[in-house]
């Protein structure tokens, strides 16, 4: 049984210690190794790590990018429209003129890469997912909207309109129920909310395109307000009318 590299290095170093005059050539001939190996053993008792051979190029390498692209197309495709290994093998020949490998080679690669690409896609989505926190200061901002609400009046279920003004920082909200979303209800809801809260938001109130306040929706966030609403805002010093949609 031959010596391991560690044992070989130990033997060379032992011989040199016993006979300091022995030459590297003699040690090389004794153990059947190159003088470079002898020099390495004399310089260090620990053999250097073996260099890993470079991976051999695969005949399939030129086509791997095309195959990966087809498999990524499958991520959003219905199940019955996903590529089979046979279809990929055919497309390589028809669309790319690539016919240097057998079907089994393509099939083995597809079986390996398909789950890997699915994991890569999931990881990418996980990294992209996130949120941008909103920062609100106390008393600065509020949101206003109407929502449908069903109440029982005189024993009958009746559809009404729920006015809500909600403070963005604290989440404190004031609710009032009205028979309609008329401008009178809209303004009265504000007055009720300001009375309950003891003041008016100092920065702005956010609105959707509520008809009682808006005559016409323009491009982006621009709005044409009704005259009565403009006067109402002016009275309460509401500085902005912002649309959230």
């Amino acid at each position: 049984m031959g010596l391991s590299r560690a044992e070989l290095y130990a033997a060379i170093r032992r011989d040199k210690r016993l006979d300091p005059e022995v030459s590297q050539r003699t040690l090389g001939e004794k153990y059947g190794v190159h003088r470079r190996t002898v020099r390495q053993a004399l310089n260090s008792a620990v053999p250097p790590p073996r260099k890993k051979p470079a991976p051999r190029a695969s005949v399939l390498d030129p086509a791997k990018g095309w195959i990966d692209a087809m498999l990524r197309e499958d991520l959003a495709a219905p199940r019955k429209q996903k590529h089979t290994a046979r279809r990929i093998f055919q497309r390589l020949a028809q669309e790319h003129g690539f016919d240097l490998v057998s079907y089994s080679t393509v099939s083995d690669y597809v079986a390996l890469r398909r789950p890997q690409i699915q994991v890569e896609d999931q990881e990418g989505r996980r990294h992209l997912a996130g949120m941008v926190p909103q920062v609100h200061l106390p008393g600065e901002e509020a949101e206003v909207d109407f929502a449908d609400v069903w109440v029982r009046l005189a024993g009958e279920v009746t559809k009404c309109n729920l006015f809500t003004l909600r403070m963005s920082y604290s989440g404190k909200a004031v609710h009032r129920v009205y028979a309609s979303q008329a401008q009178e209800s809209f303004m009265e809801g504000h007055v009720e909310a300001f009375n309950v809260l003891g003041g008016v938001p100092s920065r702005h109130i956010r609105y959707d395109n509520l008809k009682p306040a808006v005559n016409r929706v323009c491009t982006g966030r621009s709005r044409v307000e009704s005259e009565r609403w403009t006067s109402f805002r002016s009275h309460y010093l509401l500085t902005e009318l912002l649309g959230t949609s």
Side-chain angles (χ1 to χ4, degrees), residues 35-238:
R35 279 179 291 176
R36 178 177 58 253
T37 302
V38 175
R39 285 196 301 272
Q40 291 174 345
L42 296 177
N43 290 332
S44 173
V46 180
R50 293 184 181 274
K51 294 182 178 180
K52 294 183 179 180
R56 292 185 302 171
S58 168
V59 180
L60 186 63
D61 283 350
K64 289 181 178 179
W66 301 324
I67 298 175
D68 288 0
M70 296 179 202
L71 294 177
R72 289 192 177 95
E73 292 175 9
D74 288 347
L75 293 173
R79 184 175 60 85
K80 292 185 177 181
Q81 295 181 17
K82 295 182 185 297
H83 288 84
T84 63
R86 177 68 65 182
R87 179 55 184 151
I88 291 176
F89 179 71
Q90 293 171 344
R91 285 189 62 184
L92 290 176
Q94 296 169 357
E95 300 176 17
H96 303 285
F98 185 85
D99 57 0
L100 301 179
V101 297
S102 65
Y103 165 72
S104 62
T105 300
V106 173
S107 179
D108 290 344
Y109 181 76
V110 169
L112 174 68
R113 281 295 286 155
R114 192 188 298 275
Q116 292 176 346
I117 286 177
Q118 291 172 345
V119 171
E120 291 170 5
D121 179 69
Q122 293 172 356
E123 289 294 327
R125 293 177 183 273
R126 184 177 299 116
H127 292 316
L128 289 174
M131 61 174 291
V132 178
Q134 296 187 31
V135 178
H136 306 285
L137 296 180
E140 277 200 346
E141 302 177 39
E143 302 170 6
V144 165
D145 203 356
F146 271 111
D148 294 338
V149 61
W150 296 86
V151 300
R152 189 175 297 276
L153 294 176
E156 295 186 7
V157 177
T158 305
K159 179 181 177 181
C160 296
N161 299 273
L162 178 67
F163 172 93
T164 299
L165 187 148
R166 177 183 176 276
M167 298 302 296
S168 301
Y169 174 79
S170 65
K172 181 177 178 59
V174 178
H175 307 282
R176 292 294 184 269
V177 177
Y178 295 100
S180 70
Q181 296 184 22
Q183 194 171 73
E184 290 77 9
S185 303
F186 184 64
M187 293 181 179
E188 182 180 324
H190 281 77
V191 174
E192 290 286 324
F194 297 158
N195 289 336
V196 171
L197 296 172
V200 178
S202 61
R203 185 181 178 194
H204 58 228
I205 301 177
R206 297 181 182 273
Y207 300 89
D208 204 342
N209 294 322
L210 298 173
K211 292 182 179 179
V214 178
N215 280 344
R216 180 163 56 88
V217 178
C218 304
T219 304
R221 288 192 169 190
S222 60
R223 308 288 188 267
V224 176
E225 303 173 17
S226 67
E227 185 175 338
R228 292 182 65 187
W229 173 246
T230 301
S231 299
F232 183 88
R233 285 202 310 111
S234 177
H235 175 76
Y236 281 99
L237 300 180
L238 301 179

